[in-house]
Amino acid sequence: MRHTDALVKVARALCARPSDRHWGYPLTKVTGLRSGALYPILTRMLAEGWLVDGWEEIDPAVAKRPPRRYYELTADGLRELGAVVRRAELEEARVRNRAIGAAFA
Amino acid sequence: MSEILAGAVALPTLAVAVLVWGLLPGFVNRLFARIYPADDPRRRDMVAELYAVPRWEQPLWVAQQAERAISEGIPARARKRRSRMSKRDVRVALIKPGLSSHSRLVKVDGRRIRTWRLFEFDRPDGEVRVRYYVDVVEREFTYKPDAELAQQLWGELNQMLKETGGK
């Protein structure tokens, strides 16, 4: 998967709470991505085996709404997305150091 | 007089507000969801997720779903039309005893090797319910595995994987 800014944002959000269930709409708020960017990334992560999905365990008649879909990180996903986040942090540190170096030059 | 005019303006405004924040988000969202193929979990996902969105934000959120539905749904329909899978082919690839978590398996289909994700769950009555994905389309069926046949088929499949380099 290509390492885009959007992927890094999603990786950060998922790795921040690796054992939790993640839901679509709250993820759009945490990542700041719109749905058209977020959900294709989640779909690709599902296909890669980095996420597994499930459906909320509710009774639609009682809750008066259909069950929502959630996503959970797999061990593979935690490893791969953790690497994405670390790589992004290293890149950010490099850019910061370059900027500081340029400021004092 | 001014009260009459204010009232006349207020009623259509109220009607538009009820439409935009009341009726239309759910209706339009369901229309966009229908772009996905019928058995695609993203159809249910899109409809259900609307209930988590605050009322005032729903019109904008639904508009964003258009992008998602068109960019994912149309290719999904095209892929579904192209892919053909028989239950027999799936059964050959899936008979692996003791499988209890997601795995990547290889399907043997003539000369082609295709991959997909498998999720398998054991049931106490001896039947196995299998939920799997071809690309992102979710499918499910149950079967009763024959342990001896399973071992034999799995051995043959593993051999084929080694020979063809499939993953």
Side-chain angles (χ1 to χ4, degrees):
Chain A
M1 214 185 287
R2 270 193 325 140
H3 280 215
T4 57
D5 279 347
L7 176 66
V8 171
K9 285 176 182 172
V10 176
R12 282 198 166 121
L14 294 172
C15 292
R17 293 173 9 245
S19 50
D20 282 5
R21 289 180 175 178
H22 298 271
W23 310 85
Y25 176 71
L27 272 176
T28 64
K29 291 296 160 189
V30 167
T31 58
L33 295 173
R34 63 185 193 288
S35 308
L38 171 70
Y39 284 98
I41 290 175
L42 292 176
T43 302
R44 286 200 292 277
M45 288 183 182
L46 275 173
E48 291 285 342
W50 297 353
L51 293 179
V52 290
D53 67 334
W55 296 91
E56 212 180 0
E57 295 101 9
I58 58 163
D59 182 353
V62 169
K64 292 188 175 46
R65 59 176 180 82
R68 288 168 65 201
R69 193 182 191 189
Y70 61 82
Y71 305 88
E72 288 176 321
L73 269 179
T74 61
D76 281 350
L78 187 56
R79 191 182 58 243
E80 296 290 334
L81 294 177
V84 166
V85 171
R86 277 193 300 277
R87 189 168 138 175
E89 284 168 356
L90 278 172
E91 187 56 37
E92 281 162 13
R94 208 185 338 235
V95 166
R96 265 199 310 273
N97 291 339
R98 210 178 295 147
I100 291 169
F104 283 101
Chain B
M1 183 64 176
S2 59
E3 291 92 0
I4 295 169
L5 283 173
V9 166
L11 228 68
T13 307
L14 176 65
V16 166
V18 166
L19 266 179
V20 169
W21 278 279
L23 172 68
L24 284 181
F27 180 69
V28 173
N29 191 45
R30 283 175 187 273
L31 282 180
F32 288 149
R34 292 180 76 84
I35 293 176
Y36 288 103
D39 52 357
D40 196 314
R42 289 172 290 187
R43 242 200 211 193
R44 287 171 58 196
D45 179 17
M46 241 174 90
V47 170
E49 203 62 20
L50 180 64
Y51 290 83
V53 180
R55 180 70 69 176
W56 61 270
E57 210 180 306
Q58 282 182 0
L60 184 62
W61 187 87
V62 169
Q64 290 179 2
Q65 302 318 297
E67 177 190 2
R68 176 191 167 190
I70 290 167
S71 65
E72 287 191 311
I74 294 175
R77 277 187 176 264
R79 268 197 303 273
K80 188 183 176 190
R81 212 171 292 125
R82 280 196 305 267
S83 80
R84 292 280 181 267
M85 177 179 288
S86 71
K87 244 188 190 178
R88 186 190 157 278
D89 292 327
V90 172
R91 203 171 291 128
V92 167
L94 291 180
I95 301 176
K96 179 178 190 293
L99 190 65
S100 61
S101 63
H102 79 274
S103 303
R104 197 182 306 177
L105 289 177
V106 174
K107 174 196 159 187
V108 179
D109 174 20
R111 278 163 284 178
R112 284 202 308 281
I113 304 285
R114 277 190 266 165
T115 62
W116 69 88
R117 288 273 173 274
L118 159 68
F119 300 82
E120 186 171 321
F121 307 93
D122 290 322
R123 281 162 45 136
D125 56 3
E127 271 193 351
V128 177
R129 177 167 65 91
V130 177
R131 184 156 68 97
Y132 65 96
Y133 290 85
V134 178
D135 293 334
V136 293
V137 176
E138 178 186 318
R139 299 216 173 99
E140 188 175 294
F141 69 91
T142 58
Y143 71 95
K144 258 198 165 123
D146 176 323
E148 206 176 291
L149 175 62
Q151 289 284 4
Q152 179 197 329
L153 284 173
W154 187 246
E156 286 172 8
L157 186 59
N158 269 328
Q159 189 56 35
M160 267 189 272
L161 289 178
K162 281 183 202 150
E163 285 165 6
T164 58
K167 28 177 188 169

